[in-house]
Amino acid sequence: MRVMHTKLPDFIDKMKQAVKKNTPQKNITINGLENLKSAKMQSLRTGRIESAVEEIAKKQNVDKVELIVIPRVPETMHTVIVKGIDKDGNCDSAILEVINILHQTEEAYTSGCKNIEDRRPQIGRH
Amino acid sequence: MADLKYRLIPYGKANNIHVPINIVLIDTKDIAACKINDTDAMKAVAKELAEPTGISIFDMDAVTTTSDGIMIPGAIIKMAAADNGSINPDFGILPMAEIAYSEEIIKEEPHLKQWDANYKGRKLFRGPNPKDKIIPVHNVVITGRASNNNSATEMMNIATMEEILLPILGQMQIMTGGDIVTGYTGEVISVGIGMTVKELYGRVFPTRQFGAGDTAHGSGIYAKTLKKSIPCIVADKSILAKYTLAALKAGMRAGVEIGCSPAVIAVSKAFGAEVDIDKITPKALEELQSIGFTKDFIKQKTEILSEEEIIKRADEIIPGVESLSKIKSTQIVHIKTLKVN
């Protein structure tokens, strides 16, 4: 079971290695994961994304790789925890709220690119 | 090949406001005349304009409701958001649900008594059926940077984060070439749009969540700040007065069958229709008080005016909209055509 999900730092490292494997002179920038401090990344897709990163990096016209992670469903629902902290650093009181956030979809990041291959499964599938 | 007609308010300056994305309104009859379907029509417009665009299709023979429960003629039946010449296949298009007439729905949603009184036999559309959408909460479509929200009454560019409010009655004026007002929402509209009615498949809420007399905002003195600085295109206040009066004459009461928004309360007072303060929840009253609609003001007797006088003096009776500028919609709306097949 330990291989079912990938640790966030391992995910990031794997993507860097996938570029360096065949093209050590090329680099990758990763955007969209900055706010995550700890997370488990779906392993099945990690392997596919590694493969995609390697494939894009190997292309002759590609100078560098960008990996951007955005919500697949462009409205995300978040719990907001409003905490009051006492002088000893303990949580004195808290209010839980919710906020829904609207995001751009992939078209905002692929403007002008004519060579797009959509390998995503239908929503709800792995 | 056929020529598809559509109405466009382009991105950029429109009278005294900034429009954050292209706004396109299409009459379903103009699509039918081209012998194409709604989706193909919307895709054709998306390709033609290429930049962030909100698109709405109207059935002018149907009816809809405003957020405070006033029934008006015409309805949006489908909405889309487009960017880079395309529409996102999962999140870019959404149809509105047709609401079937029944005695049960009139009982559950008493503001629909207006349906019998004023619009008998016409189809009713408001928001979408949740089963038709993947996005969990908002009645929104998104493609790239473009967002068309609250069943096509609020359009945004999510990248620049600019927004425009397009209340449904103003859009109907655009469809008919009528009089509109451009300006900024201000505190009154910010509070007023929270004063909703219970609707299944409503424009904003899919379930009967916030009833007449209540507020969807529930944020006290902060309600007046939530949407106070947004550019908006609304109907001329005489039009809002006309339809509010039609609702009052059909027996609707502020805070009972229809919402207790400042506009409804103001027209009710001028018409001599009593506003029962006890029907307004403390939360709603707190928000109303924050913009001067105190208990005393609501109870205070004012000069009773005739229907004609209220419509004529609507600008002084109905509060709301800052930097208000009255224009013909044709001054900012471009009638366009594009070739489709």
Side-chain angles (χ1 to χ4, degrees):
Chain A
M1 292 302 288
R2 59 193 286 271
V3 297
M4 286 302 285
H5 279 76
T6 304
K7 291 178 179 175
L8 175 64
D10 292 347
F11 176 90
I12 292 169
D13 192 49
K14 279 168 179 277
M15 299 309 141
K16 290 177 178 171
Q17 292 306 318
V19 173
K20 298 294 179 190
K21 183 178 171 187
N22 301 298
T23 52
Q25 75 284 11
K26 295 184 183 179
N27 290 311
I28 182 169
T29 55
I30 300 174
N31 294 314
L33 298 175
E34 297 86 343
N35 206 33
L36 297 178
K37 305 299 177 216
S38 61
K40 295 287 277 178
M41 313 296 278
Q42 181 188 7
S43 281
L44 185 153
R45 283 286 151 190
T46 297
R48 292 181 193 234
I49 297 166
E50 274 182 285
S51 172
V53 167
E54 183 182 332
E55 187 180 326
I56 290 281
K58 278 200 291 190
K59 286 179 184 276
Q60 210 166 17
N61 290 337
V62 168
D63 194 48
K64 61 181 180 181
V65 180
E66 279 183 30
L67 189 145
I68 303 167
V69 183
I70 62 170
R72 173 89 191 263
V73 177
E75 181 192 59
T76 53
M77 186 187 292
H78 301 255
T79 288
V80 179
I81 307 163
V82 184
K83 289 173 69 173
I85 309 297
D86 69 17
K87 61 181 171 46
D88 299 320
N90 299 314
C91 182
D92 169 79
S93 50
I95 295 173
L96 302 183
E97 260 292 354
V98 67
I99 193 159
N100 301 297
I101 303 175
L102 301 181
H103 308 263
Q104 303 172 90
T105 56
E106 53 275 13
E107 291 86 351
Y109 301 91
T110 55
S111 176
C113 180
K114 298 199 184 317
N115 190 15
I116 300 169
E117 186 184 340
D118 193 350
R119 295 178 178 173
R120 298 172 300 173
Q122 284 183 325
I123 289 169
R125 298 177 71 90
H126 279 277
Chain B
M1 296 290 273
D3 290 317
L4 174 65
K5 177 184 168 187
Y6 63 97
R7 291 160 181 82
L8 169 68
I9 302 176
Y11 165 85
K13 192 170 187 292
N15 194 28
N16 61 336
I17 59 168
H18 174 71
V19 175
I21 64 174
N22 291 320
I23 300 166
V24 169
L25 312 185
I26 315 175
D27 191 323
T28 189
K29 285 179 181 164
D30 291 326
I31 296 173
C34 294
K35 296 185 168 55
I36 57 171
N37 63 40
D38 292 346
T39 300
D40 287 342
M42 288 171 146
K43 283 182 176 176
V45 170
K47 194 175 172 189
E48 175 86 357
L49 298 177
E51 293 294 316
T53 303
I55 307 170
S56 304
I57 297 178
F58 289 77
D59 180 346
M60 299 304 285
D61 295 331
V63 289
T64 194
T65 54
T66 65
S67 58
D68 41 17
I70 309 293
M71 283 194 96
I72 60 165
I76 296 170
I77 57 171
K78 199 169 275 189
M79 65 172 171
D83 195 5
N84 293 341
S86 67
I87 294 175
N88 188 286
D90 292 316
F91 311 110
I93 293 186
L94 196 56
M96 304 306 145
E98 185 180 344
I99 307 295
Y101 180 90
S102 69
E103 285 181 13
E104 188 196 343
I105 200 165
I106 305 288
K107 200 173 158 191
E108 292 288 337
E109 302 180 13
H111 64 292
L112 293 186
K113 287 173 189 164
Q114 295 168 81
W115 202 353
D116 277 331
N118 298 336
Y119 304 102
K120 206 172 182 66
R122 291 173 74 158
K123 289 182 177 180
L124 171 65
F125 296 86
R126 301 176 304 201
N129 183 331
K131 78 171 176 52
D132 292 330
K133 67 193 189 90
I134 303 169
I135 287 182
V137 179
H138 283 85
N139 290 336
V140 66
V141 284
I142 302 176
T143 296
R145 297 162 289 179
S147 165
N148 194 356
N149 184 38
N150 284 347
S151 305
T153 54
E154 191 179 271
M155 293 187 188
M156 297 173 249
N157 181 323
I158 302 176
T160 63
M161 295 173 279
E162 293 168 327
E163 183 175 350
I164 187 164
L165 200 72
L166 299 163
I168 187 65
L169 206 46
Q171 294 197 57
M172 294 308 165
Q173 291 298 100
I174 292 167
M175 287 299 292
T176 55
D179 295 337
I180 56 171
V181 162
T182 61
Y184 292 84
T185 44
E187 294 181 346
V188 169
I189 287 184
S190 185
V191 165
I193 58 181
M195 310 303 187
T196 61
V197 291
K198 284 184 181 176
E199 291 186 331
L200 186 69
Y201 310 158
R203 191 176 309 287
V204 180
F205 304 106
T207 58
R208 296 176 179 129
Q209 207 172 339
F210 301 101
D214 202 0
T215 167
H217 285 143
S219 49
I221 57 165
Y222 295 105
K224 67 182 180 183
T225 67
L226 298 177
K227 289 191 180 283
K228 79 165 189 177
S229 307
I230 302 171
C232 62
I233 302 173
V234 304
D236 189 272
K237 289 184 181 180
S238 62
I239 304 294
L240 178 57
K242 180 179 113 177
Y243 288 112
T244 306
L245 286 164
L248 297 178
K249 288 196 297 178
M252 302 297 102
R253 294 165 294 174
V256 183
E257 290 87 8
I258 54 177
C260 55
S261 67
V264 171
I265 291 174
V267 175
S268 298
K269 279 166 61 77
F271 195 52
E274 192 190 349
V275 178
D276 185 349
I277 206 91
D278 294 334
K279 302 291 185 190
I280 300 175
T281 67
K283 277 183 180 179
L285 197 55
E286 186 184 0
E287 293 177 11
L288 287 167
Q289 282 171 338
S290 76
I291 52 163
F293 278 63
T294 61
K295 270 186 185 180
D296 287 345
F297 172 78
I298 295 170
K299 283 179 180 172
Q300 188 184 39
K301 299 284 181 200
T302 50
E303 184 190 1
I304 308 296
L305 301 172
S306 69
E307 203 176 330
E308 294 73 22
E309 199 67 14
I310 291 170
I311 290 170
K312 195 175 158 191
R313 292 169 55 185
D315 284 335
E316 62 182 274
I317 293 167
I318 300 176
V321 187
E322 291 177 358
S323 304
L324 177 155
S325 175
K326 291 157 70 81
I327 56 169
K328 282 270 177 206
S329 62
T330 48
Q331 289 175 243
I332 60 167
V333 178
H334 303 243
I335 305 291
K336 311 278 281 187
T337 57
L338 66 88
K339 296 281 183 201
V340 293
N341 56 13

